[in-house]
Amino acid sequence: MAAKWTSRKHLSEKINRSFDRQVKLAVTGLSRSGKTVFITSLVHQLLHGLKGTHLPFFQIVSTGRLRGTKAIPQPDMHIPSFRYDLAVEQLCSDPPVWPDRTNGISEIRLAIRYLNNNPLLKAVNPISTLYVDIIDYPGEWLLDLPLLELSYEQWSAQIATACEKEPRLSLSEEWRAFLDSIDPASEADEVTMRQAAALFTDFLYQCKNKYNLSLLQPGRFTMPGDLKGAPLLEFCPLLKIPENTENKNSLFAEMKKRYEYYKKHLVKKFYQEHFSSFDRQIILADVLTALNMGYPTFVDMRDAINMVLKSFHYGKTGLINKLFGNLKIDKILFAATKADHVTPDQLPHLESFLRHMLAKSHHNATFEGVRTETLALASVKCTQAAYTTFKGNKISCIKGMPVEGDKPIALFPGEIPAEVPMPEEWVDERFNFVEFKPPRLANIHGGGLPHIRLDRALEFLIGDKF
Ligand SMILES: Nc1nc2c(ncn2[C@@H]2O[C@H](COP(=O)(O)OP(=O)(O)OP(=O)(O)O)[C@@H](O)[C@H]2O)c(=O)[nH]1
Ligand SMILES: [Mg+2]
């Protein structure tokens, strides 16, 4: 009898394992788009999925089939861990603060136990486990894909053209003056190489920090991950290409060699080692900050996001297909983050605005065989909807605690246009999206963090896996 029982248990375990599934969910977006907060909130929602009614559109929870979620050791030992523990500690501190910036790849694994729905499976295997590996990586790294098709000379020419216009023209002045003072045909020396690269890197950081520009290549220069200060990042484009490029020891030849090395050992490697294993992808975009910053910043972000999307154009003509063959991603969610910065009636406008921003890619490209969706969401909702009266009219506004200040404010943040405004329509003060502090929560362990539409994101990204 005991032997029979043991073999049944053994069989059941075997079946259990074969029905357990795994999904690699990749989260990306440009710097400050909200990746860390999104993953932290998503993990928190799932860990507390049993305790609340905070995920009405995530069916596994709303139908009561979730049995529990646990963060367990990740499978890829060579990838740094996503520090959910630190991020949640910061969000729950008193006063709550936003998690620290991150600048590389990280991963966390969740085991989600759930009740099987399928009547056949239910009989042998009532409870299954879905392993979800969530990977956070900088969208800036995807800006490097086009470099794979550009020679060093072509890339240098592209940067030279970009530096003809403001604000890049002024910001690149020091770097360009340095290049003017050296002869690219002369013998390469470490000190000159390092200085040219440092000035170029400094130029990229100024573009990012002073003007919130996004189209910054090479992507690792401002998002180095664990390569900060590595010689691998000590090169830059040259604005004058020598007539005679024969000398193998020239500054030009050495810069070109490093550029090619960067493409082979960083760009290609990332696609082969990581990107090729992703099953699902969410791309986050902080559309509101770009609107706030004005037309040049907005256009730069739009172009950068559309360049990021080249990595997901899987059609036969797509670069990815040509270079790496078929990839696995079968669903992509585009999300406008920080949707708590607008009044609830503006959410559909924010979604349609994001769709317009991406229209360039949607038209030209084929996300062949890939399901896509667009959503406006807030990973952590920091505001409440409120009303005020202005000249006798009731106006919808939002109320929250601004990052700078300790008194709550109510404001009308502006309406999201249905389409991208024409350059002349970008008048000052048209948009007024302020940053808010995270909410102070009475009991962080009593349920998930307050959010907007995170449950819809979860349903789209992994709902079909249960
Ligand atoms: N109001 C609001 N603000 C948010 C939300 N998510 C992110 N933020 C704000 O955006 C900032 C950046 O969020 P992160 O999650 O750190 O962004 P990231 O993409 O990981 O940024 P990097 O690590 O620097 O690349 C936060 O510090 C908050 O100020 C949200 O849901 N609501
Ligand atoms: Mg981050």
Side-chain angles (χ1 to χ4, degrees), residues 235-280:
F235 68 92
C236 72
L238 285 176
L239 302 176
K240 276 183 297 188
I241 304 295
E243 283 182 9
N244 181 358
T245 54
E246 300 288 290
N247 180 0
K248 298 241 174 328
N249 299 321
S250 69
L251 194 76
F252 164 78
E254 189 57 35
M255 288 283 192
K256 185 177 164 91
K257 200 165 91 193
R258 292 189 184 186
Y259 171 77
E260 294 301 336
Y261 190 93
Y262 176 92
K263 291 201 301 186
K264 184 168 172 201
H265 293 277
L266 285 182
V267 186
K268 275 197 182 155
K269 205 164 156 212
F270 169 72
Y271 282 92
Q272 282 155 350
E273 242 178 44
H274 302 289
F275 197 84
S276 59
S277 67
F278 300 158
D279 301 300
R280 303 274 158 97

Side-chain angles (χ1 to χ4, degrees), residues 237-453:
L238 285 176
L239 302 176
K240 276 183 297 188
I241 304 295
E243 283 182 9
N244 181 358
T245 54
E246 300 288 290
N247 180 0
K248 298 241 174 328
N249 299 321
S250 69
L251 194 76
F252 164 78
E254 189 57 35
M255 288 283 192
K256 185 177 164 91
K257 200 165 91 193
R258 292 189 184 186
Y259 171 77
E260 294 301 336
Y261 190 93
Y262 176 92
K263 291 201 301 186
K264 184 168 172 201
H265 293 277
L266 285 182
V267 186
K268 275 197 182 155
K269 205 164 156 212
F270 169 72
Y271 282 92
Q272 282 155 350
E273 242 178 44
H274 302 289
F275 197 84
S276 59
S277 67
F278 300 158
D279 301 300
R280 303 274 158 97
Q281 175 74 56
I282 176 164
I283 301 171
L284 306 177
D286 181 3
V287 178
L288 300 173
T289 300
L291 280 173
N292 246 6
M293 294 290 296
Y295 188 67
T297 301
F298 173 79
V299 169
D300 200 77
M301 184 202 259
R302 184 190 60 189
D303 292 348
I305 291 178
N306 279 289
M307 194 177 275
V308 160
L309 295 190
K310 283 188 197 295
S311 293
F312 303 95
H313 297 168
Y314 295 161
K316 295 219 162 35
T317 52
L319 185 50
I320 275 284
N321 207 293
K322 275 198 274 174
L323 293 169
F324 304 105
N326 286 335
L327 294 176
K328 287 166 70 187
I329 296 173
D330 61 354
K331 273 187 170 189
I332 304 174
L333 180 61
F334 304 109
T337 48
K338 313 179 193 177
D340 55 331
H341 282 129
V342 298
T343 50
D345 58 306
Q346 294 293 310
L347 291 180
H349 295 222
L350 184 54
E351 283 169 3
S352 103
F353 188 81
L354 178 62
R355 271 195 289 277
H356 265 98
M357 268 179 82
L358 307 177
K360 230 163 135 188
S361 285
H362 269 288
H363 284 158
N364 308 340
T366 42
F367 293 98
E368 240 170 57
V370 180
R371 268 194 65 201
T372 60
E373 183 76 79
T374 316
L375 201 65
L377 60 81
S379 310
V380 176
K381 184 170 172 271
C382 309
T383 64
Q384 301 297 326
Y387 290 95
T388 183
T389 35
F390 182 68
K391 293 185 180 166
N393 295 322
K394 196 171 164 193
I395 294 177
S396 146
C397 58
I398 51 171
K399 220 171 137 181
M401 188 72 86
V403 159
E404 277 156 31
D406 36 18
K407 284 206 174 78
I409 54 165
L411 62 96
F412 173 66
E415 284 185 359
I416 308 292
E419 288 185 22
V420 177
M422 300 301 284
E424 61 277 11
E425 292 173 330
W426 289 73
V427 286
D428 281 352
E429 314 281 316
R430 175 169 177 167
F431 305 106
N432 180 23
F433 306 112
V434 302
E435 282 187 38
F436 291 101
K437 286 182 184 156
R440 202 183 281 261
L441 300 162
N443 177 9
I444 193 84
H445 302 296
L449 291 158
H451 66 90
I452 298 173
R453 297 188 173 172

Side-chain angles (χ1 to χ4, degrees), residues 32 35-37 100-103 136:
R32 314 309 288 150
K35 303 178 290 290
T36 304
V37 176
D100 294 335
R101 286 168 178 242
T102 47
N103 73 356
D136 174 356

